[in-house]
């Protein structure tokens, strides 16, 4: 049994009595107006018999609403938003000051009909649509009773996880539909018992911007992690759970270079331990830029693949990428509901008013926040001048190639319990993460206490001519939209706005 698995916003059902576990899910949401495009990549571990994914959706989906994607776009998004490790070398303390520089920033096939059951109508289950995309045979269901839906799935020879009916009930009662994507194992390659499925993308219109996660508890073997990436015109956090930003700008010892995922897992676990139930913001940045960059920035083809092609307006490079990370157990009560919030900045090589790098997010006019951690190598050469300038950080010595920033990828499988934070942090005074890293967010919703962002009456502009040291790379200086602070939809009622067919 896996000690920790990545959450899934539905559950798995299979034609087998063997247990099913979902241990890695990446979710990318694109949001504009009332339209949501949901893209997900799932790794399934279990028996290679026919199985399916069951996902609640707010309206009936049709063939043109669903498509399969290639996996590379998810790798691109993960690399861009993942916490990063950088390396800096102290420059010659006697070198003349450098000149001041400006600071930047699947094919569709006919499906084989599923066996009909005479009692389906009596169970209150209706097949609203049926089509095929890639290896998925997709059925859209509506149901009048959660017990009838569970019975229908069992009659279709699916081994429903124990305790599924109470999880289905709230979705049935609010009129949600059910997206059942059955997979043909003959079209899927299994390696070590794990199937890497083609990512699925579908879109719908709803006044409420949320992600259903409670059904994923049916496949839970313990604590679950969920990473949600949101592409929109502004930053998002959750409206119905506490929010916190990950401590950033921490200096670490060189040992972390070989154990970066383990270090970050320990830091994340400490953050959640101090703020139980909080959703952690790990990244909020204009999607077309980065500093430092662990890889190429997101571009027009990525945006189109993830949903810009079905939006009324293409924001171009004005999309903001927000990365949210949650960890929860079977005691979770509600799905995640998202709301737009003001921009923040943090995790940059820019000293604040105190002359130190901030370890907590700060209000800003543009989103520039990232989880960034640095290994610093002090100057070891001779010091021949009378007034040396210490603490100027930049690239490696001449003749040594500058390393690309390392991103903490594959956090679903990051080892835990193998590294102590006290041993990894280079500065003992950072063991408390800067003290103010967990200040309350007075601007959040009623359930948002515990955010790392101290919110003023108005977003503050970055200080003029900030002092920047070190070397970073930045591509495309266009900023994300600077407007935020909107609540999306009514939080008490589910109001669905259907688009014309």
């Amino acid at each position: 049994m896996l000690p920790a698995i990545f959450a899934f916003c539905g559950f798995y059902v299979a034609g087998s009595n063997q247990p099913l576990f979902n241990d890695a899910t990446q979710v990318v949401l694109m949001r504009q107006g009332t339209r949501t495009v949901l893209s997900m990549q799932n790794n399934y571990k279990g028996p290679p018999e026919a199985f399916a994914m069951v996902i609640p959706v707010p309206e009936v989906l049709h063939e043109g609403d669903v498509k399969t994607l290639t996996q590379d776009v998810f790798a691109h998004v993960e690399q861009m938003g993942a916490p990063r490790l950088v390396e800096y070398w102290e420059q010659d303390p006697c070198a003349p000051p450098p000149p001041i520089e400006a600071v930047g920033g699947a094919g569709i096939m006919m499906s084989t009909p599923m066996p009909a059951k005479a009692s389906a109508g009596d169970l209150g289950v209706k097949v609203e649509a049926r089509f095929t995309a890639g290896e998925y045979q997709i059925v859209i269901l509506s149901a009048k009773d959660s017990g009838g839906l569970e019975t229908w799935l069992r009659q279709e020879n699916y081994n429903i996880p124990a305790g599924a009916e109470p999880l289905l009930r709230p979705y049935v009662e609010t009129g949600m539909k059910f997206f059942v994507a059955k997979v043909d194992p003959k079209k899927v390659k299994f390696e070590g018992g794990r199937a890497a499925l083609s990512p699925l993308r579908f879109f719908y219109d709803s006044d409420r911007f949320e992600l259903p996660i409670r059904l994923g508890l049916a496949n839970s073997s313990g604590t679950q992690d969920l990473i949600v990436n949101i592409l929109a015109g502004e930053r998002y956090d959750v409206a119905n759970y506490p929010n916190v930003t990950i401590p950033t700008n921490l200096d670490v010892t060189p040992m972390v270079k070989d154990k970066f995922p383990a270090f970050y897992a320990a830091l994340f676990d400490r953050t959640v331990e101090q703020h139980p139930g909080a959703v952690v913001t790990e990244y909020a940045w204009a999607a077309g830029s980065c500093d430092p960059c662990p890889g190429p920035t997101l571009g027009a083809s990525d945006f189109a693949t993830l949903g810009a092609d079905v939006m009324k307006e293409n924001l171009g490079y004005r999309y903001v990428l927000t990365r949210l990370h949650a960890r929860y157990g079977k005691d979770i009560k509600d799905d995640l509901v998202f709301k737009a919030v003001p921009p923040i900045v943090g995790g940059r090589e820019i000293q604040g008013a105190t002359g130190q790098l901030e370890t907590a997010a700060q209000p800003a006019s543009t989103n520039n926040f990232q989880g960034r951690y640095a290994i610093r190598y002090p100057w070891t050469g001779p010091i021949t001048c009378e007034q040396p300038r210490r603490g100027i950080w930049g690239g490696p010595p001449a003749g040594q190639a500058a390393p690309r920033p390392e991103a903490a990828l594959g956090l679903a499988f990051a080892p835990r319990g193998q590294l102590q934070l006290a041993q990894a942090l280079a500065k003992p005074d950072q063991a408390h993460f800067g003290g103010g890293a967990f200040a309350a967010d007075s601007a959040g919703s009623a359930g948002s206490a515990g955010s790392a962002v101290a919110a003023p009456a108005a977003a503050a502009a970055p200080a003029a001519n900030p002092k920047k040291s070190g070397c970073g790379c930045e591509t495309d200086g266009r900023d994300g939209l600077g407007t935020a602070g909107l609540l999306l939809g009514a939080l008490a009622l589910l109001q669905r706005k259907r688009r014309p067919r």
Side-chain angles (χ1 to χ4, degrees), residues 235 237 241-248 271 274-275 278-282 343-346 358-363 369 433-444 448-456:
R235 180 175 74 94
D237 66 14
Y241 287 96
N243 294 278
V244 68
T245 50
I246 194 72
T248 186
T271 304
Q274 295 184 356
H275 300 273
V279 176
V280 181
T281 297
E282 297 179 326
I344 54 174
V345 65
E358 298 286 356
T359 58
Q362 304 294 321
F369 177 81
F433 311 130
F438 297 130
D441 180 6
S442 60
S448 296
S451 172
V453 185

mmCIF file of all heavy atoms in Angstrom, residues 235 237 241-248 271 274-275 278-282 343-346 358-363 369 433-444 448-456:
data_model
loop_
_atom_site.group_PDB
_atom_site.id
_atom_site.type_symbol
_atom_site.label_atom_id
_atom_site.label_comp_id
_atom_site.label_asym_id
_atom_site.label_seq_id
_atom_site.Cartn_x
_atom_site.Cartn_y
_atom_site.Cartn_z
ATOM 1 N N ARG A 235 -4.227 35.713 -10.652
ATOM 2 C CA ARG A 235 -3.859 34.658 -9.714
ATOM 3 C C ARG A 235 -5.102 34.141 -8.998
ATOM 4 O O ARG A 235 -6.054 34.875 -8.775
ATOM 5 C CB ARG A 235 -2.861 35.210 -8.678
ATOM 6 C CG ARG A 235 -2.399 34.193 -7.641
ATOM 7 C CD ARG A 235 -1.319 34.783 -6.742
ATOM 8 N NE ARG A 235 -1.838 35.734 -5.779
ATOM 9 C CZ ARG A 235 -2.193 35.440 -4.528
ATOM 10 N NH1 ARG A 235 -2.107 34.183 -4.094
ATOM 11 N NH2 ARG A 235 -2.628 36.383 -3.715
ATOM 12 N N ASP A 237 -6.513 31.552 -5.593
ATOM 13 C CA ASP A 237 -6.354 30.631 -4.490
ATOM 14 C C ASP A 237 -7.717 30.034 -4.181
ATOM 15 O O ASP A 237 -8.652 30.193 -4.981
ATOM 16 C CB ASP A 237 -5.667 31.272 -3.277
ATOM 17 C CG ASP A 237 -6.491 32.365 -2.614
ATOM 18 O OD1 ASP A 237 -7.700 32.492 -2.895
ATOM 19 O OD2 ASP A 237 -5.928 33.100 -1.774
ATOM 20 N N TYR A 241 -10.962 27.033 1.877
ATOM 21 C CA TYR A 241 -9.946 26.456 2.751
ATOM 22 C C TYR A 241 -8.910 27.530 3.053
ATOM 23 O O TYR A 241 -8.785 28.509 2.312
ATOM 24 C CB TYR A 241 -9.263 25.251 2.091
ATOM 25 C CG TYR A 241 -10.130 24.012 2.023
ATOM 26 C CD1 TYR A 241 -10.869 23.712 0.876
ATOM 27 C CD2 TYR A 241 -10.226 23.142 3.103
ATOM 28 C CE1 TYR A 241 -11.685 22.591 0.819
ATOM 29 C CE2 TYR A 241 -11.027 22.009 3.048
ATOM 30 C CZ TYR A 241 -11.757 21.742 1.906
ATOM 31 O OH TYR A 241 -12.560 20.631 1.852
ATOM 32 N N PRO A 242 -8.137 27.370 4.131
ATOM 33 C CA PRO A 242 -7.053 28.331 4.387
ATOM 34 C C PRO A 242 -6.027 28.302 3.262
ATOM 35 O O PRO A 242 -5.840 27.286 2.596
ATOM 36 C CB PRO A 242 -6.451 27.836 5.716
ATOM 37 C CG PRO A 242 -7.497 26.972 6.332
ATOM 38 C CD PRO A 242 -8.252 26.351 5.193
ATOM 39 N N ASN A 243 -5.346 29.426 3.068
ATOM 40 C CA ASN A 243 -4.297 29.542 2.056
ATOM 41 C C ASN A 243 -2.990 29.960 2.717
ATOM 42 O O ASN A 243 -2.992 30.719 3.687
ATOM 43 C CB ASN A 243 -4.671 30.597 1.005
ATOM 44 C CG ASN A 243 -5.866 30.189 0.178
ATOM 45 O OD1 ASN A 243 -5.740 29.433 -0.774
ATOM 46 N ND2 ASN A 243 -7.049 30.677 0.540
ATOM 47 N N VAL A 244 -1.890 29.476 2.184
ATOM 48 C CA VAL A 244 -0.565 29.858 2.656
ATOM 49 C C VAL A 244 0.383 29.792 1.469
ATOM 50 O O VAL A 244 0.171 28.991 0.546
ATOM 51 C CB VAL A 244 -0.092 28.934 3.806
ATOM 52 C CG1 VAL A 244 0.156 27.526 3.308
ATOM 53 C CG2 VAL A 244 1.146 29.474 4.483
ATOM 54 N N THR A 245 1.405 30.655 1.454
ATOM 55 C CA THR A 245 2.430 30.553 0.410
ATOM 56 C C THR A 245 3.637 29.826 0.981
ATOM 57 O O THR A 245 3.949 29.935 2.168
ATOM 58 C CB THR A 245 2.867 31.944 -0.098
ATOM 59 O OG1 THR A 245 3.193 32.775 1.009
ATOM 60 C CG2 THR A 245 1.760 32.594 -0.902
ATOM 61 N N ILE A 246 4.309 29.073 0.143
ATOM 62 C CA ILE A 246 5.454 28.308 0.588
ATOM 63 C C ILE A 246 6.591 29.265 0.969
ATOM 64 O O ILE A 246 6.822 30.258 0.266
ATOM 65 C CB ILE A 246 5.911 27.304 -0.509
ATOM 66 C CG1 ILE A 246 6.877 26.261 0.063
ATOM 67 C CG2 ILE A 246 6.545 28.044 -1.690
ATOM 68 C CD1 ILE A 246 6.209 25.263 0.961
ATOM 69 N N PRO A 247 7.311 29.041 2.072
ATOM 70 C CA PRO A 247 8.481 29.872 2.371
ATOM 71 C C PRO A 247 9.482 29.798 1.220
ATOM 72 O O PRO A 247 9.720 28.728 0.656
ATOM 73 C CB PRO A 247 9.038 29.243 3.647
ATOM 74 C CG PRO A 247 7.864 28.560 4.270
ATOM 75 C CD PRO A 247 7.034 28.059 3.128
ATOM 76 N N THR A 248 10.051 30.922 0.886
ATOM 77 C CA THR A 248 10.922 30.998 -0.286
ATOM 78 C C THR A 248 12.201 31.744 0.057
ATOM 79 O O THR A 248 12.365 32.250 1.184
ATOM 80 C CB THR A 248 10.185 31.667 -1.455
ATOM 81 O OG1 THR A 248 11.003 31.596 -2.634
ATOM 82 C CG2 THR A 248 9.836 33.108 -1.146
ATOM 83 N N THR A 271 5.364 23.099 6.422
ATOM 84 C CA THR A 271 4.404 24.173 6.186
ATOM 85 C C THR A 271 2.984 23.716 6.480
ATOM 86 O O THR A 271 2.213 24.408 7.151
ATOM 87 C CB THR A 271 4.513 24.670 4.728
ATOM 88 O OG1 THR A 271 5.851 25.082 4.461
ATOM 89 C CG2 THR A 271 3.569 25.826 4.474
ATOM 90 N N GLN A 274 2.320 23.236 10.212
ATOM 91 C CA GLN A 274 2.053 24.473 10.922
ATOM 92 C C GLN A 274 0.711 25.080 10.548
ATOM 93 O O GLN A 274 0.173 25.897 11.298
ATOM 94 C CB GLN A 274 3.181 25.478 10.649
ATOM 95 C CG GLN A 274 4.522 25.033 11.211
ATOM 96 C CD GLN A 274 5.609 26.078 11.014
ATOM 97 O OE1 GLN A 274 5.386 27.103 10.395
ATOM 98 N NE2 GLN A 274 6.797 25.802 11.534
ATOM 99 N N HIS A 275 0.154 24.687 9.393
ATOM 100 C CA HIS A 275 -1.126 25.227 8.931
ATOM 101 C C HIS A 275 -1.990 24.075 8.431
ATOM 102 O O HIS A 275 -2.154 23.882 7.230
ATOM 103 C CB HIS A 275 -0.904 26.269 7.832
ATOM 104 C CG HIS A 275 -0.084 27.422 8.300
ATOM 105 N ND1 HIS A 275 -0.632 28.520 8.907
ATOM 106 C CD2 HIS A 275 1.253 27.628 8.289
ATOM 107 C CE1 HIS A 275 0.335 29.364 9.236
ATOM 108 N NE2 HIS A 275 1.482 28.844 8.869
ATOM 109 N N ALA A 278 -4.392 23.745 5.083
ATOM 110 C CA ALA A 278 -4.151 24.867 4.167
ATOM 111 C C ALA A 278 -3.762 24.364 2.785
ATOM 112 O O ALA A 278 -3.136 23.316 2.628
ATOM 113 C CB ALA A 278 -3.053 25.777 4.707
ATOM 114 N N VAL A 279 -4.130 25.141 1.772
ATOM 115 C CA VAL A 279 -3.678 24.917 0.400
ATOM 116 C C VAL A 279 -2.483 25.836 0.167
ATOM 117 O O VAL A 279 -2.543 27.035 0.461
ATOM 118 C CB VAL A 279 -4.804 25.203 -0.605
ATOM 119 C CG1 VAL A 279 -4.298 25.053 -2.032
ATOM 120 C CG2 VAL A 279 -5.978 24.262 -0.358
ATOM 121 N N VAL A 280 -1.400 25.281 -0.345
ATOM 122 C CA VAL A 280 -0.134 25.999 -0.447
ATOM 123 C C VAL A 280 0.059 26.536 -1.863
ATOM 124 O O VAL A 280 0.007 25.778 -2.835
ATOM 125 C CB VAL A 280 1.045 25.082 -0.067
ATOM 126 C CG1 VAL A 280 2.366 25.851 -0.147
ATOM 127 C CG2 VAL A 280 0.844 24.499 1.330
ATOM 128 N N THR A 281 0.277 27.840 -1.971
ATOM 129 C CA THR A 281 0.642 28.451 -3.256
ATOM 130 C C THR A 281 2.144 28.305 -3.448
ATOM 131 O O THR A 281 2.931 28.777 -2.634
ATOM 132 C CB THR A 281 0.254 29.932 -3.299
ATOM 133 O OG1 THR A 281 -1.164 30.051 -3.187
ATOM 134 C CG2 THR A 281 0.705 30.576 -4.610
ATOM 135 N N GLU A 282 2.534 27.642 -4.541
ATOM 136 C CA GLU A 282 3.947 27.413 -4.823
ATOM 137 C C GLU A 282 4.464 28.273 -5.966
ATOM 138 O O GLU A 282 5.682 28.438 -6.107
ATOM 139 C CB GLU A 282 4.175 25.938 -5.163
ATOM 140 C CG GLU A 282 3.852 25.000 -4.005
ATOM 141 C CD GLU A 282 4.052 23.539 -4.338
ATOM 142 O OE1 GLU A 282 3.813 23.144 -5.502
ATOM 143 O OE2 GLU A 282 4.455 22.785 -3.428
ATOM 144 N N PRO A 343 -2.197 40.216 -6.967
ATOM 145 C CA PRO A 343 -0.856 39.704 -7.278
ATOM 146 C C PRO A 343 0.056 39.698 -6.051
ATOM 147 O O PRO A 343 -0.131 40.458 -5.100
ATOM 148 C CB PRO A 343 -0.338 40.669 -8.349
ATOM 149 C CG PRO A 343 -1.545 41.377 -8.860
ATOM 150 C CD PRO A 343 -2.499 41.444 -7.728
ATOM 151 N N ILE A 344 1.073 38.836 -6.098
ATOM 152 C CA ILE A 344 2.099 38.774 -5.072
ATOM 153 C C ILE A 344 3.465 38.629 -5.723
ATOM 154 O O ILE A 344 3.585 38.272 -6.897
ATOM 155 C CB ILE A 344 1.874 37.588 -4.106
ATOM 156 C CG1 ILE A 344 1.760 36.262 -4.891
ATOM 157 C CG2 ILE A 344 0.640 37.813 -3.236
ATOM 158 C CD1 ILE A 344 1.669 35.022 -4.005
ATOM 159 N N VAL A 345 4.500 38.921 -4.939
ATOM 160 C CA VAL A 345 5.871 38.787 -5.408
ATOM 161 C C VAL A 345 6.669 38.103 -4.313
ATOM 162 O O VAL A 345 6.369 38.235 -3.120
ATOM 163 C CB VAL A 345 6.484 40.166 -5.761
ATOM 164 C CG1 VAL A 345 6.616 41.046 -4.528
ATOM 165 C CG2 VAL A 345 7.830 40.013 -6.454
ATOM 166 N N GLY A 346 7.682 37.343 -4.698
ATOM 167 C CA GLY A 346 8.548 36.672 -3.740
ATOM 168 C C GLY A 346 9.409 35.641 -4.427
ATOM 169 O O GLY A 346 9.076 35.151 -5.504
ATOM 170 N N GLU A 358 13.479 38.636 1.057
ATOM 171 C CA GLU A 358 12.251 38.279 1.753
ATOM 172 C C GLU A 358 11.995 36.778 1.628
ATOM 173 O O GLU A 358 12.151 36.192 0.561
ATOM 174 C CB GLU A 358 11.064 39.054 1.164
ATOM 175 C CG GLU A 358 11.169 40.574 1.301
ATOM 176 C CD GLU A 358 10.914 41.052 2.714
ATOM 177 O OE1 GLU A 358 10.573 40.224 3.578
ATOM 178 O OE2 GLU A 358 11.064 42.264 2.963
ATOM 179 N N THR A 359 11.581 36.165 2.753
ATOM 180 C CA THR A 359 11.249 34.744 2.713
ATOM 181 C C THR A 359 9.747 34.512 2.618
ATOM 182 O O THR A 359 9.307 33.369 2.553
ATOM 183 C CB THR A 359 11.781 34.033 3.973
ATOM 184 O OG1 THR A 359 11.219 34.650 5.138
ATOM 185 C CG2 THR A 359 13.295 34.109 4.029
ATOM 186 N N ALA A 360 8.962 35.593 2.610
ATOM 187 C CA ALA A 360 7.507 35.480 2.505
ATOM 188 C C ALA A 360 7.031 36.278 1.303
ATOM 189 O O ALA A 360 7.695 37.203 0.841
ATOM 190 C CB ALA A 360 6.831 35.994 3.785
ATOM 191 N N ALA A 361 5.858 35.915 0.793
ATOM 192 C CA ALA A 361 5.261 36.655 -0.321
ATOM 193 C C ALA A 361 4.859 38.056 0.133
ATOM 194 O O ALA A 361 4.480 38.272 1.287
ATOM 195 C CB ALA A 361 4.040 35.909 -0.843
ATOM 196 N N GLN A 362 4.946 39.004 -0.792
ATOM 197 C CA GLN A 362 4.565 40.383 -0.524
ATOM 198 C C GLN A 362 3.570 40.839 -1.580
ATOM 199 O O GLN A 362 3.610 40.382 -2.732
ATOM 200 C CB GLN A 362 5.802 41.291 -0.560
ATOM 201 C CG GLN A 362 6.912 40.890 0.386
ATOM 202 C CD GLN A 362 6.505 41.028 1.838
ATOM 203 O OE1 GLN A 362 5.825 41.981 2.213
ATOM 204 N NE2 GLN A 362 6.917 40.068 2.671
ATOM 205 N N PRO A 363 2.642 41.758 -1.228
ATOM 206 C CA PRO A 363 1.729 42.308 -2.240
ATOM 207 C C PRO A 363 2.509 43.034 -3.328
ATOM 208 O O PRO A 363 3.574 43.601 -3.088
ATOM 209 C CB PRO A 363 0.853 43.282 -1.437
ATOM 210 C CG PRO A 363 1.013 42.857 -0.009
ATOM 211 C CD PRO A 363 2.398 42.310 0.115
ATOM 212 N N PHE A 369 5.853 35.436 -8.021
ATOM 213 C CA PHE A 369 6.151 34.636 -6.832
ATOM 214 C C PHE A 369 6.545 33.224 -7.250
ATOM 215 O O PHE A 369 5.913 32.617 -8.117
ATOM 216 C CB PHE A 369 4.950 34.544 -5.891
ATOM 217 C CG PHE A 369 5.223 33.667 -4.686
ATOM 218 C CD1 PHE A 369 5.916 34.166 -3.605
ATOM 219 C CD2 PHE A 369 4.829 32.336 -4.680
ATOM 220 C CE1 PHE A 369 6.202 33.355 -2.514
ATOM 221 C CE2 PHE A 369 5.110 31.515 -3.602
ATOM 222 C CZ PHE A 369 5.793 32.032 -2.507
ATOM 223 N N PHE A 433 11.755 30.355 9.069
ATOM 224 C CA PHE A 433 11.279 30.847 7.788
ATOM 225 C C PHE A 433 10.968 32.333 7.830
ATOM 226 O O PHE A 433 9.973 32.796 7.299
ATOM 227 C CB PHE A 433 10.039 30.077 7.323
ATOM 228 C CG PHE A 433 10.207 28.592 7.401
ATOM 229 C CD1 PHE A 433 9.260 27.816 8.013
ATOM 230 C CD2 PHE A 433 11.331 27.983 6.880
ATOM 231 C CE1 PHE A 433 9.418 26.445 8.110
ATOM 232 C CE2 PHE A 433 11.499 26.627 6.959
ATOM 233 C CZ PHE A 433 10.546 25.851 7.578
ATOM 234 N N GLY A 434 11.841 33.103 8.467
ATOM 235 C CA GLY A 434 11.703 34.550 8.412
ATOM 236 C C GLY A 434 10.673 35.109 9.361
ATOM 237 O O GLY A 434 10.384 36.297 9.325
ATOM 238 N N GLY A 435 10.101 34.316 10.242
ATOM 239 C CA GLY A 435 9.160 34.837 11.222
ATOM 240 C C GLY A 435 7.835 35.215 10.626
ATOM 241 O O GLY A 435 6.807 34.663 10.959
ATOM 242 N N GLY A 436 7.830 36.176 9.711
ATOM 243 C CA GLY A 436 6.569 36.666 9.159
ATOM 244 C C GLY A 436 6.064 35.873 7.981
ATOM 245 O O GLY A 436 5.133 36.288 7.307
ATOM 246 N N ALA A 437 6.675 34.741 7.711
ATOM 247 C CA ALA A 437 6.290 33.971 6.528
ATOM 248 C C ALA A 437 4.877 33.434 6.611
ATOM 249 O O ALA A 437 4.288 33.072 5.623
ATOM 250 C CB ALA A 437 7.257 32.811 6.318
ATOM 251 N N PHE A 438 4.319 33.392 7.820
ATOM 252 C CA PHE A 438 2.983 32.846 7.963
ATOM 253 C C PHE A 438 2.028 33.879 8.526
ATOM 254 O O PHE A 438 1.160 33.568 9.334
ATOM 255 C CB PHE A 438 3.004 31.599 8.856
ATOM 256 C CG PHE A 438 3.811 30.478 8.278
ATOM 257 C CD1 PHE A 438 4.759 29.830 9.034
ATOM 258 C CD2 PHE A 438 3.633 30.093 6.968
ATOM 259 C CE1 PHE A 438 5.506 28.787 8.500
ATOM 260 C CE2 PHE A 438 4.378 29.055 6.417
ATOM 261 C CZ PHE A 438 5.310 28.411 7.189
ATOM 262 N N ALA A 439 2.169 35.134 8.123
ATOM 263 C CA ALA A 439 1.263 36.177 8.581
ATOM 264 C C ALA A 439 -0.126 35.944 8.020
ATOM 265 O O ALA A 439 -0.287 35.393 6.945
ATOM 266 C CB ALA A 439 1.781 37.549 8.141
ATOM 267 N N ALA A 440 -1.153 36.372 8.758
ATOM 268 C CA ALA A 440 -2.531 36.155 8.322
ATOM 269 C C ALA A 440 -2.870 37.010 7.125
ATOM 270 O O ALA A 440 -2.331 38.097 6.948
ATOM 271 C CB ALA A 440 -3.493 36.454 9.475
ATOM 272 N N ASP A 441 -3.770 36.515 6.298
ATOM 273 C CA ASP A 441 -4.224 37.225 5.101
ATOM 274 C C ASP A 441 -5.574 37.849 5.387
ATOM 275 O O ASP A 441 -6.597 37.213 5.302
ATOM 276 C CB ASP A 441 -4.328 36.237 3.928
ATOM 277 C CG ASP A 441 -4.798 36.913 2.653
ATOM 278 O OD1 ASP A 441 -4.927 38.146 2.658
ATOM 279 O OD2 ASP A 441 -5.035 36.196 1.669
ATOM 280 N N SER A 442 -5.579 39.120 5.740
ATOM 281 C CA SER A 442 -6.831 39.781 6.096
ATOM 282 C C SER A 442 -7.722 40.004 4.899
ATOM 283 O O SER A 442 -8.902 40.280 5.036
ATOM 284 C CB SER A 442 -6.531 41.134 6.762
ATOM 285 O OG SER A 442 -5.800 41.969 5.872
ATOM 286 N N ALA A 443 -7.173 39.892 3.690
ATOM 287 C CA ALA A 443 -7.977 40.123 2.490
ATOM 288 C C ALA A 443 -8.607 38.851 1.963
ATOM 289 O O ALA A 443 -9.394 38.883 1.038
ATOM 290 C CB ALA A 443 -7.119 40.753 1.380
ATOM 291 N N GLY A 444 -8.276 37.682 2.562
ATOM 292 C CA GLY A 444 -8.816 36.426 2.075
ATOM 293 C C GLY A 444 -10.260 36.248 2.482
ATOM 294 O O GLY A 444 -10.862 37.072 3.176
ATOM 295 N N SER A 448 -9.882 31.744 4.913
ATOM 296 C CA SER A 448 -8.543 31.838 4.349
ATOM 297 C C SER A 448 -7.495 32.287 5.344
ATOM 298 O O SER A 448 -6.436 32.710 4.944
ATOM 299 C CB SER A 448 -8.556 32.791 3.146
ATOM 300 O OG SER A 448 -9.367 32.283 2.125
ATOM 301 N N ALA A 449 -7.760 32.261 6.634
ATOM 302 C CA ALA A 449 -6.748 32.664 7.591
ATOM 303 C C ALA A 449 -5.542 31.762 7.475
ATOM 304 O O ALA A 449 -5.645 30.571 7.266
ATOM 305 C CB ALA A 449 -7.321 32.607 9.000
ATOM 306 N N GLY A 450 -4.360 32.357 7.632
ATOM 307 C CA GLY A 450 -3.151 31.562 7.581
ATOM 308 C C GLY A 450 -2.371 31.742 6.311
ATOM 309 O O GLY A 450 -1.375 31.097 6.117
ATOM 310 N N SER A 451 -2.789 32.628 5.447
ATOM 311 C CA SER A 451 -2.024 32.856 4.234
ATOM 312 C C SER A 451 -0.732 33.553 4.561
ATOM 313 O O SER A 451 -0.611 34.260 5.548
ATOM 314 C CB SER A 451 -2.833 33.698 3.248
ATOM 315 O OG SER A 451 -2.031 34.069 2.161
ATOM 316 N N ALA A 452 0.265 33.354 3.722
ATOM 317 C CA ALA A 452 1.543 34.003 3.935
ATOM 318 C C ALA A 452 1.551 35.418 3.408
ATOM 319 O O ALA A 452 2.555 36.086 3.464
ATOM 320 C CB ALA A 452 2.645 33.204 3.255
ATOM 321 N N VAL A 453 0.462 35.899 2.878
ATOM 322 C CA VAL A 453 0.438 37.211 2.259
ATOM 323 C C VAL A 453 -0.236 38.201 3.185
ATOM 324 O O VAL A 453 -1.388 38.044 3.543
ATOM 325 C CB VAL A 453 -0.326 37.182 0.921
ATOM 326 C CG1 VAL A 453 -0.235 38.523 0.241
ATOM 327 C CG2 VAL A 453 0.227 36.104 0.029
ATOM 328 N N ALA A 454 0.477 39.220 3.600
ATOM 329 C CA ALA A 454 -0.133 40.297 4.363
ATOM 330 C C ALA A 454 -0.720 41.283 3.382
ATOM 331 O O ALA A 454 -0.010 41.905 2.609
ATOM 332 C CB ALA A 454 0.913 40.979 5.250
ATOM 333 N N ALA A 455 -2.041 41.439 3.369
ATOM 334 C CA ALA A 455 -2.708 42.201 2.321
ATOM 335 C C ALA A 455 -3.013 43.623 2.780
ATOM 336 O O ALA A 455 -3.695 43.827 3.772
ATOM 337 C CB ALA A 455 -4.000 41.515 1.911
ATOM 338 N N PRO A 456 -2.524 44.650 2.084
ATOM 339 C CA PRO A 456 -2.841 46.025 2.428
ATOM 340 C C PRO A 456 -4.139 46.443 1.753
ATOM 341 O O PRO A 456 -4.770 45.678 1.046
ATOM 342 C CB PRO A 456 -1.651 46.794 1.848
ATOM 343 C CG PRO A 456 -1.315 45.993 0.623
ATOM 344 C CD PRO A 456 -1.605 44.546 0.971
#
